[in-house]
Amino acid sequence: MSVMYIRGGRPLEGELAVHGAKNSVLPILAACLLAKGPVTLNNCPRLTDVAAALGILRRLGCRVEQEGHTIVVDPTGASGCSISEEQMRSMRSSIIFLGPLLARAGEAHLSYPGGCELGPRPIDLHLSALRAMGCEVREEQGIHCLGRPKGGEVQLSIPSVGATENAMLCAVGASGPTTITNAAREPEIGDLQSFLNSLGAGVRGAGSSTITVEGGRCLSGGEYTVMGDRIVAATLLSAAASAGGTVRLRGVDWRHLATVLSVFHQAGCRVESKLEYVELFRDGSVPLRGAPTVRTAPYPGFPTDAQAPVMAALAASQGCTLFVETIFDSRYRHVPELIRMGADITTEGRVALVRGVERLHGARVEATDLRGGGALAAAALGAEGTTVLSGLNHIDRGYEGLEEMLRLLGADVERREA
Ligand code: EPZ
């Protein structure tokens, strides 16, 4: 098991291109099941969640090659319609294979994806979307779906990202048209729509609450470049706000980060947003200010995935910041770890009150989930002394070489066997 040694106190300086988005490449990989020929994907991040998705595609009979940040998926040999329990457990978002599998094979058998560190992760909206498209869905010791989708009206009671994506992917393979209302508006939905249309699909409306999908189209093979990861960007900007210095990031659209940038601006950082890059400067000799309430919400609201990293940066500030986590039940598991570093944070259900302290100090801390891990690394960079961060398996799910990225920005970080 490896751990990260992070020596705090150095400002960050530098520029880097943010790697491809985990939450875009995963549904796009599942969508490859709908193609009638090989698909080449560029800017794919090298993450353990991506490796898990490639394993599922291989088990379904696809030929998969990965070289650097390029993945080629040839689904022409795909014949399976089941995903094993072990594979479903390997990655929470493996449920995203349900819709395309059903559209392609006319049947799909999966076990429940299981909860995760953020609390229960229900899939009722995914299943009701498939039923709305005319598929039979039985839940007996797992999920058993039968019947090719015909299309229909999908009404989501929550703008669920995964359920929106599953409905889109099933609808692309349906014989008739589908309308999805109260759809999630996250940028990754737009990337999925662009990908599907590049293969010949007819999807419209991504980014709005209503998405329409023409049915009955055959998707060709093709080539596509995955968008940059806005949450990795938010994490790196949180590291700069925590440690001080100047960090410039390329490969992300600053508009996808506007709510995060606004919090850092109000906390006293200077933010520059251009088409080609986003840059954050913070004078380490001037304390951050507490920010107005940070309430997570579906896009275009403040992203729940940025809550932990931003909280980590504001833990050392002058003033208080109130956080309200409206998306997940249990997304404050990084708080006890930040308190071990000297933070003063009180949580009550979905509310967390951060009373800024002058400075955090290094400690032995453990990542409890993906974004909590990114948060602890950001906090450590601004802390006094050395932090030993374990639980890197969580971090490697969504950050490709976090320690290399931080070293490129001047941080004193190394990964060692524990
Ligand atoms: C996606 O998860 C992301 N994962 C998450 O990122 C992200 O936090 C989340 O969207 C919200 O933005 C991927 O894209 C792979 P949801 P997803 O369905 O689709 C409830 C990260 O760190 N719900 O939008 O699972 C659910 O319990 C990860 O990169 C139902 O009740 O999230 C939650 O409270 C973490 N029934 C809310 O909706 C359902 O059928 C939003 O979840 C589905 C969801």
Side-chain angles (χ1 to χ4, degrees), residues 97-147:
F97 283 89
L98 180 58
L101 199 49
L102 192 50
R104 178 189 179 97
E107 65 174 295
H109 307 281
L110 289 69
S111 67
Y112 285 95
C116 77
E117 311 83 2
L118 309 180
R121 301 292 289 276
I123 58 167
D124 54 311
L125 300 178
H126 296 246
L127 303 184
S128 54
L130 303 184
R131 290 188 176 108
M133 282 185 256
C135 302
E136 181 200 331
V137 178
R138 278 183 303 108
E139 297 180 69
E140 287 143 23
Q141 280 101 32
I143 305 154
H144 306 282
C145 304
L146 276 176

Side-chain angles (χ1 to χ4, degrees), residues 279-301:
E279 181 176 282
L280 182 142
F281 165 72
R282 183 233 156 161
D283 177 350
S285 65
V286 177
L288 288 175
R289 297 189 293 266
T293 298
V294 176
R295 179 188 301 274
T296 66
Y299 194 88

Side-chain angles (χ1 to χ4, degrees), residues 22-23 92 121-125 160-162 305 327 371:
K22 168 180 83 78
N23 293 349
R92 138 84 207 156
R121 301 292 289 276
I123 58 167
D124 54 311
L125 300 178
S160 154
V161 172
D305 295 346
I327 305 292
R371 305 304 173 188

Side-chain angles (χ1 to χ4, degrees), residues 24-35 41 53-54 56-57 60 62 73 75 83 91 93-104 165-166 169-170 192 195-196 199 219:
S24 184
V25 73
L26 292 176
I28 285 175
L29 284 168
C32 290
L33 285 170
L34 298 166
L41 299 174
L54 299 185
I56 292 174
L57 286 172
L60 291 169
C62 300
V73 178
I83 299 178
M91 181 179 66
S93 42
S94 41
I95 191 68
I96 196 59
F97 283 89
L98 180 58
L101 199 49
L102 192 50
R104 178 189 179 97
E165 293 165 343
N166 238 331
L169 294 177
C170 190
L192 180 61
F195 170 68
L196 291 168
L199 303 187
L219 298 197

